[in-house]
Amino acid sequence: MLSQQILNGLVTGSVYALFSLGFTLIFGVQKLLNFAHGATFMAGAFIAYYCTISGLPFLLAIGFSMVATGVIAILVDLIAFRSLRKRGNAEFPALVSSIGVDLILVSIAQQVSKTQVLNFPFGTFPVKFYTFMGLRISLLQLVILATVAVLVALLIFYLKKTTFGRQVRAVATNERAAALLGVNAQSVYLQTFFIAGALAGLAGVLIGLLFNSMQFLMGEPYMLRAFVVVVIGGLGSVPGAIVASLMLGVMQSLTVAYLPSGLTDAIIFALLFVVLLIRPNGLFGDANAVAGGTRQ
Amino acid sequence: MKFLKLSMSATAFAAAMAASTSAMAEEYKMVILQSLTGGAAFIGKNVADGAAMAADELNANGFFGEGNSLVYEVADDATDRTQTLSLITRLAADEDVLIVMGPTSGSVALAGANVANEREFPVITTTNSMEVIENGPWSFILTQPADVTIPYIADFTAQTLGAKNCAIIGVKDNEAYVALQRKYEDLIQAQGVNLASVDGVALADSDFSALATKIATSEQDCVFIGTPAAQGANLVIQLRQAGLDPSIPILGHNAFASPTFIEKGGAAVENVYLMGAWVPGGYDDFSSAFSTNFEAKTGIPADEWHAVGYSGMQVIANAIKDAVAAGAVTREGVRDALGTQTDIPVVMGEGTYSYDEHRVPHFGMKVLQVKDGAFAVVGE
Amino acid sequence: MLNVKDLHVSYKGIKALRGVSLHVEEGEMVALIGSNGAGKSTLLNALSNAVRRKAGEIVFGGRETRGLNPHAVARQGLLHVPEGRQILADMSVYENLLVGQIALGRRTTRYTLDHVYELFPVLEERRDQIAGTLSGGQQQMLAIGRALMGGPELLLLDEPSLGLSPLITDQVFDALTRLNEEGLTVLLVEQNALRALEATSRAYVLDRGLITHEGPSAELAGDQTIIESYLGA
């Protein structure tokens, strides 16, 4: 059972990674916590669901949903963050205004779904199981692991190896210096919000598909986990977010499997404190952060 | 926004009052105060919809006699204690309001009961918590406590299925669900059934992969799931996907008696046992008519909570009618009449609703099984 | 190349510049000296639109820059190496240089990566090192090299000698002189006024937000009041 539980944890953790990457990316670039990230995740699942039941092919529905959540995230930036950024000292007001956007999105979703739990129609994704070396793995789990691996690799490539990515990191490291070098911070913000939103949207779809369940509050537990991931991994650190997500997924699986139920959250937060005691900046604190995060 | 809704309907009410005095018709005013938003919205919203439909029907059928009607407002307790306390306090100050149907559940219901007893204001909460009754003579409960319902499924587990070793999955963050689950555990243990494992999930959880793997790889001859319908269906799917032996019976309580359970669970929930006060689609003339009309009106199939709301309104209407007949159209009169309601035709359980001498509601339960994508009454 | 007329800037409620006019011609290397708090950095920030001006004209390459964002000014070839160097500490030396190239846009420049490496060989030796771990002098070279990658028509330098040893300062100034001889236009702000006057052909003296003196650097270096006020100590 141990290896099966680790596999379960890795699959869940890989989706956490998808969700947390966008959150940490926005934090890295803007030094702002985007509370609307959970609602964006939920919106991704909802949009793909409504597209699917209106007859759109599933892959197209996912694509549409990712674009839409990317745009939603851009709107979050424009509505909740942009004007606050201009006046400086935006951390706390931005937190509050992004909570506001979160509540609006959640309320809309509640109205649209009539508070019902939604799930993708049976057959949206083929249910197939493979057994090897005693492990039971579904086609969906394999596809999710592969998709997340590819997207994470693409994201790292984008940040490390492309001009756009370097601009993102430049703004993350030192926005003022970047501007003097010709980097358009506004367009960097729009890009990072779009990427963060699209990844969160995809995470929403995958979670909805994997666990047959989508409801208007589904973003909240993931938001909480994203905080843990980002703090354990190191604020703004992309590799940190990936490692911490996978760790969190596996830990969660193992606590459910081997410890009295109800302790999961307590253990996760205990882990958080232990990590912070040993490494106050998180596992991948500051200096190695791909997306920056160093304050000058 | 919530307050706005309330004040708007209050204005409408005042206008209706003005119109009615000239016709010499009587109007009996009540408020449906349920969790339209917040964590218990999945219960409260449905109860409110069912209740409103019942009140409209009763009025249309002239239940209170020519020209007389039940006037109701719908308000939102928002699954929030502070909001509930301020709303009930305000409603209690309005002499015309005879009774409140609500609040919905949990600590919000208990807080509501508390203030209602202080203000001598009858409330009938949706919860099945005995604490609400014990709080004072002005607070009632609408649904059957676990003591009344759970024996139906527990006896079925131990006696009919002959289970010896059960895995239990409950909801850890809702006290009503916890109470049901504990009662079930106690009852089957009293009949010699061992608890193989006990796990709790949160209402917002959907990732049960670890739990499902754990149970699928453990020894047991019965799995009991005490969660809401959609979540239960999801648990069953994930248990099946984790490879749980299909010959092991899965059981649930009355929350599963919702079309949602079959819709969300699909083929995976085939053969699951459950008990229901509500049999989706109805099982006699009254309940079948309700099911048909409700779906025609709202576009969604009626579930247990819709039926609870609809049935509760029947009981309240009968109590008000009795109070009218006794010449006591007061809060006290309605309260006294409510506590003595027996054999009121409702659309759930065994078809009639009665309060016993301790003001505990009884309307019975049926053990059901999912067969060919529908609920079938076991043993019929 | 650069024409500034009657520039007024208020910064945090203080009138930092009170009507500054100056000009820099193509191929010149001009110094701006003045005591601490005279408004030198504010002037450079206003030129790159990093702070907003209250009034006045800034015409760069024949075009008024009013309303442009700092990054747009940079993309026109007005590159500002700010005080404290402001290198991208988490990124490698090479990546810093690549980010520098962003300002080039579709323009072309003679300053290629090879050119920068030739000017500052240490940047090539340490191309994969994280920039935050470079010494102060190396960081200053990186900041200049990075600005060169952006194809400067005019290079603004804010206190390049700050915190550097005399030896390293010499290296940096030698490089600047060489760049100017190759045709680069430079406006240099320095506390180290003597050094600045030696390196440049023309200079302005800024005092409490006003230009008090201007003229050939050699002349100013010989002016008694200036020697007393700025070169003394």
Side-chain angles (χ1 to χ4, degrees):
Chain A
M1 178 171 91
L2 177 63
S3 50
Q4 182 70 51
Q5 291 293 16
I6 290 173
L7 175 70
N8 289 340
L10 285 176
V11 173
T12 314
S14 68
V15 186
Y16 289 168
L18 218 49
F19 179 80
S20 308
L21 277 177
F23 185 71
T24 203
L25 204 58
I26 290 176
F27 183 84
V29 172
Q30 295 225 2
K31 312 288 178 281
L32 297 179
L33 293 173
N34 176 15
F35 250 90
H37 201 62
T40 311
F41 161 86
M42 175 275 299
F46 270 50
I47 292 167
Y49 168 78
Y50 285 107
C51 286
T52 307
I53 60 166
S54 2
L56 213 61
F58 187 55
L59 276 179
L60 220 58
I62 293 183
F64 180 77
S65 152
M66 285 177 73
V67 172
T69 47
V71 171
I72 287 174
I74 285 179
L75 291 177
V76 171
D77 179 40
L78 296 181
I79 296 167
F81 288 165
R82 179 164 288 203
S83 58
L84 293 173
R85 213 157 44 220
K86 280 188 190 140
R87 64 170 224 202
N89 270 338
E91 281 93 346
F92 184 66
L95 194 70
V96 174
S97 69
S98 68
I99 290 175
V101 176
D102 182 85
L103 289 175
I104 291 170
L105 288 172
V106 167
S107 306
I108 292 173
Q110 186 184 14
Q111 292 298 318
V112 169
S113 66
K114 299 181 178 137
T115 75
Q116 304 290 310
V117 177
L118 310 175
N119 59 320
F120 286 107
F122 295 110
T124 300
F125 195 91
V127 180
K128 271 202 193 126
F129 282 88
Y130 306 100
T131 314
F132 86 3
M133 305 199 339
L135 277 182
R136 207 176 145 81
I137 185 161
S138 71
L139 179 63
L140 179 61
Q141 287 176 314
L142 285 172
V143 168
I144 286 177
L145 284 173
T147 308
V148 173
V150 167
L151 283 176
V152 165
L154 279 177
L155 181 69
I156 290 177
F157 177 81
Y158 166 86
L159 287 174
K160 279 275 196 190
K161 301 289 178 197
T162 69
T163 309
F164 285 129
R166 275 192 290 273
Q167 297 190 34
V168 171
R169 291 163 58 211
V171 172
T173 311
N174 187 337
E175 182 184 338
R176 187 170 160 272
L180 293 181
L181 293 169
V183 176
N184 184 349
Q186 297 301 342
S187 95
V188 165
Y189 292 148
L190 293 183
Q191 275 181 53
T192 45
F193 269 88
F194 184 85
I195 292 171
L199 291 180
L202 178 63
V205 181
L206 294 180
I207 286 289
L209 204 57
L210 187 60
F211 303 130
N212 324 296
S213 164
M214 294 165 282
Q215 40 103 356
F216 64 101
L217 290 174
M218 68 188 281
E220 288 182 3
Y222 288 87
M223 204 61 221
L224 192 64
R225 277 160 215 167
F227 277 117
V228 176
V229 161
V230 166
V231 172
I232 290 185
L235 287 167
S237 162
V238 166
I242 296 165
V243 171
S245 295
L246 295 176
M247 259 176 59
L248 187 65
V250 172
M251 285 270 313
Q252 222 172 280
S253 233
L254 295 183
T255 51
V256 170
Y258 295 106
L259 294 169
S261 83
L263 286 182
T264 314
D265 286 340
I267 287 167
I268 286 169
F269 281 94
L271 171 81
L272 175 76
F273 294 131
V274 169
V275 169
L276 288 182
L277 271 179
I278 301 168
R279 292 189 61 98
N281 290 327
L283 296 177
F284 289 73
D286 284 346
N288 300 321
V290 167
T294 307
R295 284 159 196 273
Q296 297 275 320
Chain B
M1 200 168 66
K2 290 150 193 161
F3 288 99
L4 189 66
K5 200 190 283 174
L6 182 67
S7 68
M8 267 167 33
S9 59
T11 317
F13 173 72
M17 280 298 284
S20 71
T21 15
S22 58
M24 297 297 288
E26 291 296 332
E27 291 193 326
Y28 313 111
K29 186 178 174 188
M30 66 162 302
V31 173
I32 301 169
L33 172 64
Q34 298 285 337
S35 301
L36 306 180
T37 56
F42 71 100
I43 300 174
K45 178 78 174 65
N46 294 4
V47 169
D49 289 349
M53 177 167 148
D56 293 344
E57 279 182 14
L58 290 165
N59 284 333
N61 297 338
F63 179 80
F64 294 95
E66 182 73 341
N68 300 338
S69 61
L70 183 64
V71 176
Y72 66 89
E73 293 166 9
V74 178
D76 183 10
D77 72 33
T79 324
D80 180 86
R81 246 191 292 202
T82 315
Q83 167 125 343
T84 304
L85 291 181
S86 89
L87 274 172
I88 293 187
T89 307
R90 216 169 69 190
L91 293 171
D94 177 352
E95 290 295 333
D96 291 327
V97 180
L98 289 171
I99 183 168
V100 164
M101 182 178 184
T104 300
S105 67
S107 62
V108 175
L110 196 56
N114 207 15
V115 65
N117 282 305
E118 267 171 32
R119 311 254 160 178
E120 306 193 333
F121 184 40
V123 295
I124 173 163
T125 65
T126 309
T127 170
N128 61 358
S129 160
M130 290 297 290
E131 282 180 84
V132 168
I133 307 178
E134 289 153 8
N135 195 271
W138 296 89
S139 49
F140 291 76
I141 58 175
L142 187 52
T143 49
Q144 302 173 115
D147 287 348
V148 179
T149 59
I150 293 295
Y152 287 87
I153 194 76
D155 292 353
F156 179 80
T157 308
Q159 294 164 22
T160 313
L161 294 180
K164 293 281 168 255
N165 193 27
C166 279
I168 311 280
I169 306 171
V171 173
K172 63 186 175 194
D173 57 352
N174 179 293
E175 65 189 45
Y177 283 97
V178 171
L180 290 174
Q181 173 205 337
R182 293 265 186 280
K183 185 73 198 169
Y184 179 81
E185 291 169 13
D186 292 347
L187 286 170
I188 59 170
Q189 280 180 296
Q191 301 184 56
V193 182
N194 179 48
L195 301 184
S197 59
V198 179
D199 288 284
V201 300
L203 275 177
D205 279 351
S206 64
D207 172 6
F208 310 122
S209 51
L211 179 59
T213 297
K214 175 183 146 184
I215 290 179
T217 52
S218 307
E219 288 297 320
Q220 64 262 306
D221 60 4
C222 135
V223 177
F224 175 81
I225 302 175
T227 67
Q231 194 172 34
N234 193 10
L235 264 161
V236 176
I237 291 175
Q238 295 191 34
L239 281 168
R240 299 266 189 245
Q241 289 180 348
L244 178 73
D245 179 352
S247 71
I248 295 175
I250 300 176
L251 302 104
H253 54 52
N254 38 331
F256 284 8
S258 154
T260 310
F261 184 65
I262 290 175
E263 187 193 309
K264 305 289 181 198
V269 298
E270 196 67 16
N271 295 327
V272 170
Y273 295 104
L274 57 143
M275 61 170 178
W278 167 243
V279 181
Y283 54 91
D284 60 10
D285 290 347
F286 192 20
S287 54
S288 303
F290 162 66
S291 174
T292 311
N293 294 339
F294 187 86
E295 186 157 1
K297 186 172 172 220
T298 63
I300 51 174
D303 73 4
E304 172 150 347
W305 295 115
H306 296 125
V308 165
Y310 188 86
S311 299
M313 189 56 85
Q314 308 291 333
V315 178
I316 292 170
N318 275 286
I320 292 175
K321 198 176 186 182
D322 288 354
V324 172
V329 194
T330 60
R331 288 174 179 176
E332 193 162 14
V334 170
R335 179 201 70 176
D336 293 345
L338 187 59
T340 57
Q341 292 303 311
T342 48
D343 299 326
I344 305 303
V346 292
V347 295
M348 53 187 189
E350 283 146 357
T352 58
Y353 191 107
S354 304
Y355 279 112
D356 68 15
E357 66 276 24
H358 304 295
R359 297 186 293 130
V360 173
H362 292 262
F363 44 87
M365 279 281 160
K366 286 182 157 54
V367 175
L368 310 170
Q369 187 178 23
V370 181
K371 278 283 170 207
D372 302 323
F375 293 108
V377 178
V378 172
E380 273 181 26
Chain C
M1 166 94 20
L2 178 72
N3 252 304
V4 179
K5 267 194 201 136
D6 197 26
L7 184 64
H8 290 257
V9 173
S10 289
Y11 188 66
K12 290 181 178 165
I14 297 159
K15 286 180 185 165
L17 298 180
R18 302 181 289 161
V20 169
S21 297
L22 58 80
H23 64 98
V24 180
E25 301 308 323
E26 188 161 354
E28 270 195 308
M29 178 134 147
V30 177
L32 180 69
I33 60 175
S35 56
N36 225 345
K40 302 188 298 292
S41 290
T42 304
L43 176 57
L44 292 197
N45 283 333
L47 295 181
S48 55
N49 277 5
V51 301
R52 202 184 298 181
R53 69 187 99 145
K54 216 169 153 191
E57 279 176 22
I58 300 173
V59 177
F60 171 65
R63 204 179 141 186
E64 167 62 62
T65 63
R66 181 185 298 279
L68 294 179
N69 284 320
H71 74 267
V73 173
R75 286 186 188 197
Q76 291 192 357
L78 191 156
L79 282 157
H80 177 179
V81 179
E83 190 177 351
R85 312 182 258 277
Q86 310 283 345
I87 54 136
L88 303 168
D90 292 340
M91 298 168 73
S92 72
V93 168
Y94 177 63
E95 286 177 322
N96 266 271
L97 294 173
L98 288 182
V99 171
Q101 215 165 22
I102 288 162
L104 192 58
R106 289 201 198 89
R107 296 180 298 118
T108 52
T109 182
R110 67 195 123 130
Y111 304 107
T112 60
L113 190 61
D114 287 341
H115 196 114
V116 170
Y117 281 161
E118 193 225 325
L119 194 64
F120 300 118
V122 67
L123 297 183
E124 185 169 22
E125 287 160 25
R126 299 180 180 250
R127 69 188 294 261
D128 294 321
Q129 190 169 328
I130 295 296
T133 63
L134 294 177
S135 72
Q138 290 162 349
Q139 290 192 10
Q140 185 62 57
M141 291 171 195
L142 177 58
I144 295 170
R146 189 176 63 175
L148 292 177
M149 298 289 288
E153 306 288 325
L154 170 62
L155 189 65
L156 309 183
L157 285 160
D158 199 347
E159 306 276 7
S161 74
L162 193 73
L164 302 189
S165 71
L167 187 70
I168 303 291
T169 306
D170 283 344
Q171 284 180 22
V172 170
F173 271 87
D174 287 350
L176 291 177
T177 305
R178 189 182 141 191
L179 285 167
N180 179 242
E181 282 164 4
E182 288 169 4
L184 181 65
T185 315
V186 178
L187 176 59
L188 172 70
V189 161
E190 260 297 350
Q191 283 246 37
N192 188 342
L194 193 58
R195 201 54 177 270
L197 293 177
E198 279 169 17
T200 56
S201 56
R202 213 154 59 74
Y204 293 88
V205 178
L206 191 66
D207 188 6
R208 277 164 287 172
L210 290 170
I211 300 282
T212 53
H213 301 78
E214 62 174 291
S217 301
E219 243 172 63
L220 291 183
D223 185 316
Q224 199 54 43
T225 54
I226 292 180
I227 291 172
E228 280 170 15
S229 306
Y230 306 105
L231 307 177

